[in-house]
Amino acid sequence: MADKKKGYVLSGVLVVIAAFGIYLYQLFQLPKRLPAVPEALTTRAEIPGIPNARFWVGVEIDPMVREVIAARERERAFLARSGHSGELPPAALLALSGGGDKGAFGAGLMNGWTAAGTRPTFKAVTGVSTGALIAPFAYLGPKYDSVLTEVYTHVAPEDIAQKRSIIAAIQDDGMADNRPLWTLISKHVDQSLLAAIAAEYANGRLLLVGTTNLDSRQPVIWNMGAIAASGTPAALELFRSILLASAAIPGALPPTMVRVSVDGQLHDEMHVDGGTSTQVFLYPPFMRNAAETMGDKMNRAATVYVIRNSTLAAAWNPAERQTIDIAGRAIGALIHTQGMGDLYRVYLTAQRDGLDFNLAYIGSEFTYQGKTKQFETAYMQALYSYGHQLAKGGYSWHKLPPGLDTPYGR
């Protein structure tokens, strides 16, 4: 009888152990994905139905050059239909940087610029991270100013991400879930917005957003106008996904998986925040040289506007002696320094190509006390108001990046 009881107890223990083993197995299962694109096929991967959806500018510049040339010809045809003759007029180019909740500065600046009555129609708009979220609405013009106001003055932390448990550091693909941000993007990025972007793309204007492909560790520039104009059933979801990916801080938020095809085989690319590659971009410095080798001279006059959604000085804040905080602070310091270098790269490119360089950033006069977390509504409202007032009153754009007191080469 005793042996029988022991058998029952042992069986019960084994059942419990098995159940716990199954629980642990399920708990620590990593999120699934299709195989990554093999290294040798990286640049051959295409978005089904949209062959010119993006550019691998660090590897192959010619496709982007051809797109810029084609956009110029579309613009020329549009202007001819509008009664314009002769040379193309000078272009206005806008580059929007990353910066998280500090994107409220760029949103306020754009809308204040509208109020001042001096905001141009941009030939091209580029965006990274929070700048990517601003970019479609800045591209479409003042008609969408109300969206920027809503997004950057009425959201709260829970509208951006939902915290996961500490187990997410092992079990999942991000410490927080960015489905709330997907919902916010989906609310404002709909078929009517895509149609409006497609119409401007047909007139020769460009909308470009940067992400980082983690598999290849390469920056990717997405041709958002071409995606909008493709007419494919998947265009809307892809457009939203790229915006989500561009703002997906690695480790903090989940990456975006982008389904691609190579030789009929499907793969998943893993894309994250474009800010891990560059905080702001205009166009690759070697693009004009590449165009010349293709028999085209890109010597059009242009004015460049760069909006840095951050301060120039790094923010002081004592760090906790904890792994996550130390790693986060180190990455933040690296991104800040990289962002400063990006400003010099854009400036030097503009100087070399004879473009008029203009820079806006959050000045040292802006102060806010009591901020305790990211995407705090009151903080964003204050920063939006600051940017709006600066632009509405006639913003004095900085002609040099920080640290230079005379133009380069003089």
Side-chain angles (χ1 to χ4, degrees), residues 33 38 45 52 55 65 97 122 139 141 166 171 183 238 250 252 282 291 297 301 304 306 334 356 358 373 384 386 390:
R33 64 172 292 188
N52 63 334
F55 310 111
V65 172
S97 85
F122 302 104
Y139 175 83
I166 192 63
Q171 167 198 5
T183 300
L238 176 62
L282 185 62
K297 291 187 178 295
V304 174
V306 179
L334 179 63
D356 180 20
N358 298 270
K373 52 191 173 184
Y384 173 94
Y386 164 74
L390 282 181

Side-chain angles (χ1 to χ4, degrees), residues 46-54 182 185-186 189 191 194 209 211 222-224 226-228 230 232-246 256-260 269 271:
E46 292 188 346
I47 305 299
I50 319 175
N52 63 334
R54 76 298 185 57
W182 172 265
I185 290 171
S186 299
V189 177
Q191 287 291 356
L194 252 63
V209 164
T211 66
W222 292 87
N223 192 4
M224 305 299 276
I227 294 171
S230 67
T232 64
L236 180 59
E237 183 174 355
L238 176 62
F239 196 104
R240 292 169 173 170
S241 295
I242 298 312
L243 296 183
L244 187 71
S246 188
T256 295
M257 308 309 299
V258 177
R259 187 65 47 86
V260 297
E269 293 177 346
H271 287 261

Side-chain angles (χ1 to χ4, degrees), residues 119 137 140-147 196:
R119 177 175 164 182
F137 310 107
L140 289 176
K143 182 180 178 181
Y144 287 84
D145 282 2
S146 60
V147 177

Side-chain angles (χ1 to χ4, degrees), residues 50-266:
I50 319 175
N52 63 334
R54 76 298 185 57
F55 310 111
W56 298 90
V57 293
V59 179
E60 189 178 21
I61 189 63
D62 286 2
M64 184 172 179
V65 172
R66 287 192 292 269
E67 175 66 5
V68 171
I69 293 172
R72 188 182 59 204
E73 294 310 307
R74 294 195 302 271
E75 181 187 12
R76 198 184 302 277
F78 166 70
L79 291 174
R81 293 193 302 271
S82 304
H84 175 84
S85 60
E87 294 295 320
L88 292 174
L93 311 175
L94 175 66
L96 297 155
S97 85
D101 55 6
K102 295 182 181 66
F105 168 73
L109 196 78
M110 292 304 303
N111 289 3
W113 203 350
T114 298
T118 57
R119 177 175 164 182
T121 297
F122 302 104
K123 161 67 177 178
V125 176
T126 71
V128 173
S129 195
T130 194
L133 301 180
I134 297 171
F137 310 107
Y139 175 83
L140 289 176
K143 182 180 178 181
Y144 287 84
D145 282 2
S146 60
V147 177
L148 291 180
T149 302
E150 179 181 344
V151 170
Y152 283 94
T153 65
H154 289 80
V155 300
E158 58 268 22
D159 298 312
I160 304 301
Q162 183 178 14
K163 287 185 179 180
R164 291 170 169 168
S165 70
I166 192 63
I167 298 175
I170 302 172
Q171 167 198 5
D172 229 318
D173 53 2
M175 294 301 296
D177 190 338
N178 58 1
R179 277 181 291 185
L181 180 56
W182 172 265
T183 300
L184 182 65
I185 290 171
S186 299
K187 176 182 176 182
H188 298 290
V189 177
D190 54 18
Q191 287 291 356
S192 64
L193 182 125
L194 252 63
I197 290 173
E200 295 302 324
Y201 175 77
N203 293 338
R205 298 176 61 214
L206 294 173
L207 174 60
L208 306 172
V209 164
T211 66
T212 300
N213 182 311
L214 273 189
D215 297 318
S216 64
R217 292 189 288 183
Q218 289 284 339
V220 178
I221 295 180
W222 292 87
N223 192 4
M224 305 299 276
I227 294 171
S230 67
T232 64
L236 180 59
E237 183 174 355
L238 176 62
F239 196 104
R240 292 169 173 170
S241 295
I242 298 312
L243 296 183
L244 187 71
S246 188
I249 302 170
L253 297 173
T256 295
M257 308 309 299
V258 177
R259 187 65 47 86
V260 297
S261 175
V262 184
D263 298 332
Q265 297 295 315
L266 294 178

Side-chain angles (χ1 to χ4, degrees), residues 176-378:
D177 190 338
N178 58 1
R179 277 181 291 185
L181 180 56
W182 172 265
T183 300
L184 182 65
I185 290 171
S186 299
K187 176 182 176 182
H188 298 290
V189 177
D190 54 18
Q191 287 291 356
S192 64
L193 182 125
L194 252 63
I197 290 173
E200 295 302 324
Y201 175 77
N203 293 338
R205 298 176 61 214
L206 294 173
L207 174 60
L208 306 172
V209 164
T211 66
T212 300
N213 182 311
L214 273 189
D215 297 318
S216 64
R217 292 189 288 183
Q218 289 284 339
V220 178
I221 295 180
W222 292 87
N223 192 4
M224 305 299 276
I227 294 171
S230 67
T232 64
L236 180 59
E237 183 174 355
L238 176 62
F239 196 104
R240 292 169 173 170
S241 295
I242 298 312
L243 296 183
L244 187 71
S246 188
I249 302 170
L253 297 173
T256 295
M257 308 309 299
V258 177
R259 187 65 47 86
V260 297
S261 175
V262 184
D263 298 332
Q265 297 295 315
L266 294 178
H267 300 267
D268 278 345
E269 293 177 346
M270 183 181 289
H271 287 261
V272 297
D273 193 336
T276 61
S277 298
T278 180
Q279 278 292 296
V280 67
F281 71 95
L282 185 62
Y283 55 81
F286 46 88
M287 189 173 77
R288 282 199 175 188
N289 289 339
E292 286 190 12
T293 64
M294 297 169 65
D296 189 280
K297 291 187 178 295
M298 292 185 176
N299 53 8
R300 182 177 179 180
T303 300
V304 174
Y305 299 97
V306 179
I307 297 179
R308 174 175 165 81
N309 290 301
S310 186
T311 58
L312 296 184
W316 184 91
N317 195 14
E320 298 291 334
R321 194 170 179 178
Q322 295 178 333
T323 301
I324 292 177
D325 193 56
I326 292 170
R329 296 302 183 89
I331 293 171
L334 179 63
I335 288 174
H336 181 85
T337 303
Q338 173 189 287
M340 299 296 283
D342 291 334
L343 292 182
Y344 278 92
R345 173 174 46 79
V346 173
Y347 169 74
L348 291 175
T349 301
Q351 283 288 101
R352 183 202 62 191
D353 294 344
L355 310 183
D356 180 20
F357 177 85
N358 298 270
L359 171 65
Y361 53 81
I362 302 171
S364 58
E365 71 277 6
F366 175 77
T367 58
Y368 183 88
Q369 300 297 324
K371 182 184 177 185
T372 59
K373 52 191 173 184
Q374 288 289 307
F375 297 98
E376 198 170 279
T377 306

